[in-house]
Amino acid sequence: IPDSDHARIFTEFERLQRTGSTGDQGLGLGLAIVKRCAEMLGHPVDLRSKPGHGTMFSITVPLGRPEAQGDAGREQASTTSLEGLQALCIDNEIEILEGMEQLLGAWGCETRVATDGRGASAQWRAKTPSIVLADYHLSASENGLDVLASLNQGRDKPVPAIIISADDSAQIRAKVRTAGYKFMAKPVNPGRLRAIILALADSAND
C-alpha cells in the first residue's frame, strides 16, 4: 500500500484497485469500522507497508485488569430481562451472526440467523420472531429494509426491528425512520443495543 493511500484506506467506501482481482464484492467498510472501534476504545491502529512486500496492521492495547473484567462479565451474565425473547438476525457475514448469537444468547434470547432474504423467510415461516436485527447492506441487490417489507407483508402491525449499518448517513437514517424501524450504526454498543431491544419488546407488549 503506497504511503499516499495510508489515510485513504480507512475512509468509508474506499477500496484500492487491485489488478487481476476477481470475485471481491467488499464495500470498503472493514477498515473504517476497525478505526472507529479503535478510536472508541482509545487503542491506536498502526499501519506499516512496503509496496511489493506486504502490509502489517497492529492495535496497541494496555494491560487489562482481570478482576475488573470478571466483575463486569458476571454482572452482564446475570441479566435475564430478555429471557425467551425470539430474535431473528439477518446479516451476510457469518462472523457477525456468530457474534450476535453469542451476545443475545447471553441475555437469554432465543436467536435464529439468516444471511439473506430467502433464509430469513424460511426462519420466519418456522416461527415468527419477536424482534428482527437486520444489516442494511446485505448484497448488491438486497438490503435489510426490503427484506423486512417482504417479511411483514399481510401483517397489520410489523414486527419490531433494528436496522444496523456501517453507513451512518442521513439518507439511510431517514429511510429507516420512514419505514418505522430503529437505526444503529456499526460498531454496535451492546448496552445501547440491549436498551433498544428492551424498549421495543415493552412497546410490542403494550
Side-chain angles (χ1 to χ4, degrees):
I1 302 174
D3 292 346
S4 59
D5 288 325
H6 283 196
R8 175 188 165 198
I9 62 172
F10 289 100
T11 303
E12 292 180 349
F13 302 109
E14 284 287 349
R15 298 176 61 235
L16 300 184
Q17 296 297 322
R18 291 182 292 175
T19 303
S21 177
T22 59
D24 188 354
Q25 300 179 359
L27 295 171
L29 292 170
L31 287 174
I33 294 173
V34 168
K35 184 180 180 182
R36 190 184 302 171
C37 288
E39 289 176 346
M40 289 175 62
L41 297 170
H43 303 329
V45 177
D46 184 51
L47 161 62
R48 282 183 279 173
S49 183
K50 186 175 181 180
H53 291 265
T55 301
M56 184 184 76
F57 295 90
S58 64
I59 300 176
T60 302
V61 299
L63 292 175
R65 297 181 180 178
E67 66 281 3
Q69 293 174 356
D71 291 342
R74 284 191 293 273
E75 181 179 349
Q76 185 183 52
S78 66
T79 301
T80 57
S81 301
L82 296 173
E83 193 72 35
L85 185 75
Q86 300 291 321
L88 172 61
C89 295
I90 310 171
D91 199 294
N92 60 331
E93 295 189 37
I94 298 299
E95 295 82 358
I96 291 179
L97 291 177
E98 291 174 347
M100 293 300 292
E101 277 189 293
Q102 292 180 13
L103 179 62
L104 296 175
W107 295 339
C109 298
E110 296 181 15
T111 308
R112 290 168 294 136
V113 301
T115 58
D116 54 22
R118 184 175 181 179
S121 180
Q123 294 285 12
W124 191 284
R125 289 195 300 270
K127 190 168 188 178
T128 304
S130 305
I131 190 168
V132 179
L133 284 69
D135 187 25
Y136 183 81
H137 293 287
L138 294 174
S139 68
S141 59
E142 191 173 49
N143 66 64
L145 283 180
D146 290 341
V147 171
L148 284 169
S150 176
L151 294 174
N152 281 300
Q153 277 186 350
R155 293 182 61 89
D156 295 332
K157 186 177 180 181
V159 170
I162 303 171
I163 294 292
I164 302 171
S165 178
D167 183 355
D168 190 13
S169 66
Q171 181 181 13
I172 298 298
R173 284 180 174 270
K175 286 182 178 180
V176 174
R177 184 168 55 250
T178 300
Y181 302 119
K182 296 293 185 180
F183 176 86
M184 288 193 73
K186 293 181 179 180
V188 171
N189 179 291
R192 183 165 178 265
L193 174 63
R194 183 177 175 277
I196 294 177
I197 293 176
L198 280 169
L200 290 175
D202 288 342
S203 64
N205 293 328
D206 289 342

